[in-house]
Amino acid sequence: MHIEALDGRLLETPADGLVVAVSEAGVDEAGLLPRLNDVLGGALAEEWAAGRLGGKRNRTLVLHTLGRLPARYVVFVGVGRRDALQANGIREAVAEAMQAARRHRLSDLLLCYGSFAAPGVTPERAGQMIAEGALLSTYRFPGYRSAEEEPDVRIERLRVAMPPEVRGAVEAGWAVGRATAEGTNLARTLTNTPANKLTPEVLAKEALAVATRYGMEAWALDRADMERLGMGALLAVAQGSANPPRLVVMKYQGLPTWEAPLALVGKGITFDTGGISLKPAQNMESMIMDMGGAAAVIGAMEAIGRLRPKLNVLAVTPLVENMPDGRAYRPGDVLTSMSGKTIEVISTDAEGRLILADALTYARKLGAAKIVDLATLTGAVLIALGTQTTGAMTNDAAFWREVEAAAEAAGERVWLLPSFDVYLEQIKSPVADLKNSGGRNAGTITAGMFLKAFVDDVPWVHLDIAGTAWEEKGTALVPKGASGVMVRTLVELVRRLAGEDEKADAGR
């Protein structure tokens, strides 16, 4: 979608659709609506009186202009109370409007910036939200059908009418919004791709392509490299698959010297059968999304490459398949991780924490000053928090507050779970330093406690996205399938740590 500022008068410009936000104040609110009502012969007032046009949040109405405007339709979307409208509400309203436009097969849109403006939301932030809402809501995974029953309608162009004094700030916001949306959509596409088309080798090439595109130093470890480094936990998970493992490192240098990077570590199980501890057949096809953490990290690096923040960022993505052939690792095996810690295998379906153990150790070896890891780690997080909230754990309260603030600004829900030492009792082993499963009780917490053992004293936040990485039904902002969750949060965190979001809290 091409997004541009409108040169010309809003009500005199031809288009398929004019997009206007409506608050609870209704047709009488100062601004565009009274003029539109007059031009349309009082139709808006009639629709409002009949209850078909309202200011309720995210409610839409599409009206044909019957030739009274150069725009063929007007797409109205409710934003609730104007004084309560925040940045995330702007993103949601734009997304709803885009969906209404697509349903009416409109591909060339005009948007009235003033109708989406809100007290306390800066023009730059509003511009970011408009771009994110437009680009995230119109994402579609292309799929592999030989022929479409009905061609998909794409919104080709979005022009935004705004006062000249805010144009520079709004366009700066578009740059951020486009970067975060494109990064999120890349993560969605990677996660939606079937495992036969996205092996560890292929995913490694996708990550390296991002690094090449933005001039980042990067490399991929193969099995021999991992053996030399002693990555026994990661290699154990990989040994049952015919597809060899990879571990990709990407280094974005935003400061004059490479030091104290923020590390982003993403679980990349390109398909998870559960190994010898085989998963039930029902719904196993959804395990193409078990590399959602790695996809989020790769998507974040795509956005970071576009935005060039003044911060050093290290990305580490371990990429393997978990398969149950005759060479597969077994329950009861004892593994030696890169850190030297030994691990008793209780379940081969608790494999994500094993590959992350070595990835976290490697990130520390490469100098990580802070670490955020992302993983579709536990089914238990679905029981605890459902599909709307990402579970979190930490060893550093101050760093957690930074991640939490970034997530809130990005419109992605996170919730901190406890990390009391008593939970370590559940993962103590009689034959090794740790065991890889603490049982059903507090499953998300004990998995996080396992990871905590491999970060030592480096400030660390773990994000369990098993409940949020996949959208079953689809919403205006997140189509059915991969959500690309946490890309926006990671980018927001990097920008905050780089000091490049000075008005970060405005209007949120």
Side-chain angles (χ1 to χ4, degrees), residues 84-90 118-122 125 129 503-508:
L85 179 60
Q86 296 185 338
N88 288 320
I90 296 173
V121 179
T122 65
R125 181 62 63 182
M129 296 300 100
K503 298 178 181 178
D505 295 316
R508 297 179 181 182

Side-chain angles (χ1 to χ4, degrees), residues 76-151:
F76 296 100
V77 60
V79 293
R81 284 174 42 208
R82 180 74 57 184
D83 60 0
L85 179 60
Q86 296 185 338
N88 288 320
I90 296 173
R91 184 198 295 114
E92 292 176 6
V94 171
E96 293 286 352
M98 295 299 105
Q99 290 299 300
R102 288 184 76 254
R103 288 192 296 271
H104 283 76
R105 308 183 69 81
L106 312 180
S107 63
D108 182 14
L109 302 178
L110 305 174
L111 184 142
C112 176
Y113 168 83
S115 69
F116 286 87
V121 179
T122 65
E124 182 173 351
R125 181 62 63 182
Q128 179 184 344
M129 296 300 100
I130 290 169
E132 287 184 0
L135 295 170
L136 292 173
S137 65
T138 52
Y139 168 83
R140 292 295 180 273
F141 180 64
Y144 304 95
R145 298 182 185 89
S146 58
E148 291 281 355
E149 293 182 4
E150 184 177 359

Side-chain angles (χ1 to χ4, degrees), residues 10 52 80 398 469:
L10 184 65
R52 292 183 291 269

Side-chain angles (χ1 to χ4, degrees), residues 161-307:
M162 69 196 81
E165 61 269 20
V166 301
R167 178 170 175 171
V170 172
E171 290 182 333
W174 288 350
V176 177
R178 180 174 286 280
T180 55
E182 295 292 356
T184 300
N185 288 341
L186 172 60
R188 289 171 172 178
T189 294
L190 293 174
T191 308
N192 281 325
T193 302
N196 65 322
K197 299 182 181 297
L198 194 79
T199 63
E201 290 177 285
V202 173
L203 184 51
K205 290 177 181 177
E206 294 286 346
L208 292 174
V210 171
T212 299
R213 189 153 55 243
Y214 298 107
M216 302 177 194
E217 182 183 355
W219 63 89
L221 302 181
D222 61 15
R223 192 188 303 273
D225 297 322
M226 297 176 202
E227 288 172 350
R228 282 195 299 272
L229 289 165
M231 294 183 173
L234 190 159
L235 287 169
V237 178
Q239 70 191 38
S241 174
N243 289 306
R246 293 289 184 267
L247 185 147
V248 178
V249 175
M250 307 163 68
K251 295 172 70 174
Y252 166 77
Q253 185 171 333
L255 296 172
T257 59
W258 179 259
E259 58 186 3
L262 168 69
L264 309 178
V265 180
K267 171 189 169 185
I269 303 290
T270 58
F271 193 78
D272 182 20
T273 66
I276 298 298
S277 307
L278 194 66
K279 293 179 179 291
Q282 186 176 9
N283 298 324
M284 195 193 288
E285 70 278 3
S286 68
M287 285 298 99
I288 64 171
M289 51 80 75
D290 211 18
M291 37 63 70
V297 169
I298 295 167
M301 295 303 282
E302 166 74 26
I304 289 165
R306 288 170 177 253
L307 294 173

